Amino acid sequence: VRYSLLRTVVDPLLAVAGPEGLVRLEFLPAAWEYHTRAHAIGRQLFSPPAVQVAAEGEEATAPPALSLEIIEDPPHFIPLRDQLAEYFIGQRQAFDMELDLHGTPFQIQVWNQLLKIPYGKLKTYGQVAKAMKKPQATRAVGQAAGHNPVPIIVPCHRVVGKGGSLVGFAGGITTKARLLRLEGHTLGESARIEEPRLF
């Protein structure tokens, strides 16, 4: 398992890749210890299964131990870094990299549907549900989009609420608005893209 911290114009991003491709692209708070987070993701996704306990009267045999190596490897992520840089300056509309998406079958189906939304286009959660032939699953689609493990690459920022409202994004609504403006959306009145206020 390899990981690296990518500094971008929106936020620091933690990139984690397994043997089959990119498994996580995660917005990080400024104070987050990215090494700890990368190791937690690696253990969660790639740790070998626990040894099964033998039935009474049988001898337990442990399978060969599999070592999980989690290393920081910035050069491995140079293609990702370069593609993100091109995207952020408006020179790239699609990403070309192997993804290894881990989730429930329904989540993976939603994320694959999100990959079909073209650059600069918007869909509502209801439209995504209908495209999947599950029109009653709008809320479940929203929840799956909210658990997208590789935002920006799987463009959940291109999905909006009914009426065009900006809702739900791992990097925050302000970042979602920045990505959509980058792709050519004016977003109408600014009040719809302010972060919620507690006081």
Side-chain angles (χ1 to χ4, degrees):
V1 178
R2 303 171 190 274
Y3 70 92
S4 182
L5 184 68
L6 307 177
R7 302 187 187 282
T8 73
V9 296
V10 290
D11 270 315
L13 296 172
L14 171 63
V16 182
E20 304 299 320
L22 186 69
V23 295
R24 194 67 57 90
L25 189 63
E26 193 169 285
F27 291 92
L28 293 180
W32 190 264
E33 184 21 271
Y34 73 96
H35 300 286
T36 303
R37 182 64 185 148
H39 281 260
I41 291 168
R43 287 191 304 270
Q44 175 191 357
L45 297 180
F46 296 103
S47 286
V51 176
Q52 294 184 357
V53 178
E56 187 176 341
E58 294 181 7
E59 188 176 336
T61 56
L66 298 174
S67 61
L68 177 64
E69 188 178 12
I70 303 172
I71 58 169
E72 185 171 16
D73 185 5
H76 181 79
F77 295 94
I78 288 173
L80 172 61
R81 182 202 66 193
D82 291 349
Q83 289 187 37
L84 284 168
E86 291 166 0
Y87 170 78
F88 287 128
I89 62 173
Q91 292 183 352
R92 174 174 287 275
Q93 297 188 357
F95 294 92
D96 178 23
M97 65 192 58
E98 293 296 322
L99 300 178
D100 182 15
L101 301 177
H102 291 246
T104 67
F106 179 79
Q107 286 175 328
I108 292 172
Q109 186 181 5
V110 170
W111 301 333
N112 283 325
Q113 191 66 42
L114 299 183
L115 283 166
K116 297 177 184 177
I117 303 174
Y119 181 94
K121 301 296 182 185
L122 295 179
K123 297 284 185 187
T124 65
Y125 295 103
Q127 288 172 324
V128 173
K130 286 178 185 173
M132 295 170 57
K133 299 186 174 17
K134 297 180 179 179
Q136 305 304 318
T138 299
R139 186 179 297 274
V141 164
Q143 291 172 342
H147 287 93
N148 174 14
V150 284
I152 304 175
I153 311 300
V154 173
C156 57
H157 61 278
R158 296 177 191 154
V159 187
V160 295
K162 193 173 182 180
S165 59
L166 296 187
V167 292
F169 186 66
I173 299 299
T174 301
T175 299
K176 182 170 185 168
R178 288 178 71 184
L179 295 175
L180 292 178
R181 283 201 175 101
L182 172 72
E183 295 186 12
H185 297 283
T186 60
L187 301 178
E189 65 268 18
S190 62
R192 289 164 62 189
I193 60 165
E194 290 180 0
E195 290 278 17
R197 293 182 181 170
L198 299 177
F199 305 103

